[in-house]
Amino acid sequence: MHSSTHRIPFPGHEEWYIEGTLDQKGGADVPTSGWPIALILHGSLGHRDYLYQRTLSPHLPLDTFRFDFRSNARSPGPSWQYAGFAADVADVHAAAAYLRERFGYRIVLVVGHSRGSVVGLRWVCEDTTERRARGLEGEVKGYANVSGRWRMGKIRDITQHMLPDFQTKGYHDWHVRVASKPVVARVHAADIDRFAAYDSTIVEREFPLDVHVLTVHGMRDQVVPTYDGIIYSRVFESRRERGGTGRSTLHLIEESDHNHKGHYQEVNDTIVRWWRTVEDGTVQGGMAPAWHPPGEASDGKSKL
């Protein structure tokens, strides 16, 4: 596998760009025109090698591109915004255009985590609509929704601790570590309002009827309730009532939290196994088959 770093500029903003990693299974010299590729999108204040994202790429049977959203990690941009969904969607559009125009790739799979999944879902809606308006078919065949939030207003449940600072200082400084470095993200009360008002229900109206969706959610997720994953699964399956052919598959990980730490292998294996069924036309939908660690039989006993 050949890995290369790419910087995608933004017109009118020479100081801003998206930096990402392109992993090519066939090597740098293999023609890519018409070749399938997966986009891998990180979550809030994450980066392209965050959590399971870097380890997922080698296991997928297609080229991949993962990048740092602007104002995150190695992609400079305007000040990071707690509810900067629109800017993130613009970044996905820019990355997609770069891959298509420079390499001729077809974007057939999107894997998004948390905020990255919310914006990735909107990108699929917008991109498919734009392509069809130009007389082109949609490219995306599958979408892996990992820890995505549906009920945006529930963000207030986990930001109550910010209220005293909003009242006394007008803002709250969120201290986190990104790529092992301390980062301070400033949040205002209006940011919470904008976050809560973001329309995730666009998928009910505009998400393609023929795209298969896998939803992966941890049952110990304290950032996005597990029930949000169940809602997504139901919404995507309901497309069949409108003649949709895309199937919805749900995989819950019992001991996993929002970031799936300690469960990266299960996340990756589940995505790869599901994607293979999408490619070979055997995807069934419903609950995903139970995952068993390598070396363990389906009855929980070790294989000898």
Side-chain angles (χ1 to χ4, degrees), residues 21-302:
T21 299
L22 175 63
D23 288 336
Q24 296 173 274
K25 297 300 192 297
D29 298 328
V30 174
T32 55
S33 181
W35 202 250
I37 194 169
L39 278 177
I40 301 176
L41 311 176
H42 69 76
S44 186
L45 285 178
H47 55 87
R48 63 182 181 267
D49 292 332
Y50 191 49
L51 309 179
Y52 63 86
Q53 285 93 333
R54 180 181 59 81
T55 57
L56 171 63
S57 181
H59 297 291
L60 283 170
L62 66 168
D63 292 357
T64 68
F65 185 71
R66 61 188 191 277
F67 63 90
D68 301 329
F69 284 98
R70 280 179 298 166
S71 309
N72 288 265
R74 287 162 285 184
S75 293
S79 298
W80 182 84
Q81 297 293 320
Y82 194 82
F85 298 104
D88 288 355
V89 175
D91 288 359
V92 184
H93 277 290
Y98 178 82
L99 294 170
R100 287 166 171 164
E101 294 167 8
R102 175 167 177 175
F103 296 96
Y105 276 119
R106 294 183 299 109
I107 301 166
V108 298
L109 171 65
V110 181
V111 180
H113 176 256
S114 192
R115 171 167 163 167
S117 189
V118 173
V119 301
L121 288 166
R122 179 172 287 268
W123 173 79
V124 172
C125 294
E126 294 180 355
D127 182 71
T128 303
T129 299
E130 291 172 5
R131 290 180 63 82
R132 288 175 177 170
R134 292 158 48 201
L136 302 173
E137 293 185 358
E139 287 184 341
V140 178
K141 295 171 57 180
Y143 194 99
N145 165 38
V146 184
S147 306
R149 184 182 294 277
W150 173 264
R151 297 169 296 173
M152 305 304 289
K154 297 288 285 184
I155 192 65
R156 301 188 192 280
D157 293 350
I158 61 170
T159 54
Q160 292 295 311
H161 65 286
M162 299 182 182
L163 296 181
D165 282 348
F166 291 159
Q167 294 168 355
T168 59
K169 298 188 296 184
Y171 62 86
H172 172 80
D173 282 339
W174 183 19
H175 294 264
V176 294
R177 296 189 70 83
V178 179
S180 300
K181 298 179 180 179
V183 172
V184 179
R186 182 155 293 184
V187 183
H188 296 82
D191 295 324
I192 305 299
D193 293 337
R194 282 192 291 270
F195 190 109
Y198 186 78
D199 181 18
S200 64
T201 67
I202 185 175
V203 300
E204 292 183 299
R205 305 182 300 274
E206 300 182 28
F207 196 83
L209 298 177
D210 58 347
V211 174
H212 300 294
V213 181
L214 168 69
T215 296
V216 178
H217 217 103
M219 294 181 69
R220 292 186 179 272
D221 192 332
Q222 296 184 345
V223 177
V224 177
T226 306
Y227 192 60
D228 283 34
I230 295 173
I231 296 173
Y232 267 118
S233 181
R234 291 174 176 173
V235 166
F236 288 121
E237 187 62 18
S238 70
R239 294 175 299 164
R240 292 172 62 81
E241 299 171 1
R242 293 176 284 144
T245 57
R247 297 308 306 268
S248 174
T249 304
L250 176 64
H251 183 76
L252 301 178
I253 305 179
E254 184 176 11
E255 300 296 330
S256 191
D257 63 11
H258 184 67
N259 290 332
H260 301 287
K261 291 183 178 179
H263 298 271
Y264 296 165
Q265 185 176 15
E266 181 169 355
V267 173
N268 290 344
D269 287 354
T270 299
I271 293 172
V272 172
R273 181 173 54 179
W274 164 81
W275 175 246
R276 286 174 178 157
T277 68
V278 172
E279 287 193 307
D280 64 22
T282 62
V283 61
Q284 295 295 313
M287 292 298 296
W291 181 82
H292 303 284
E296 182 179 289
S298 59
D299 59 2
K301 298 178 180 179
S302 296

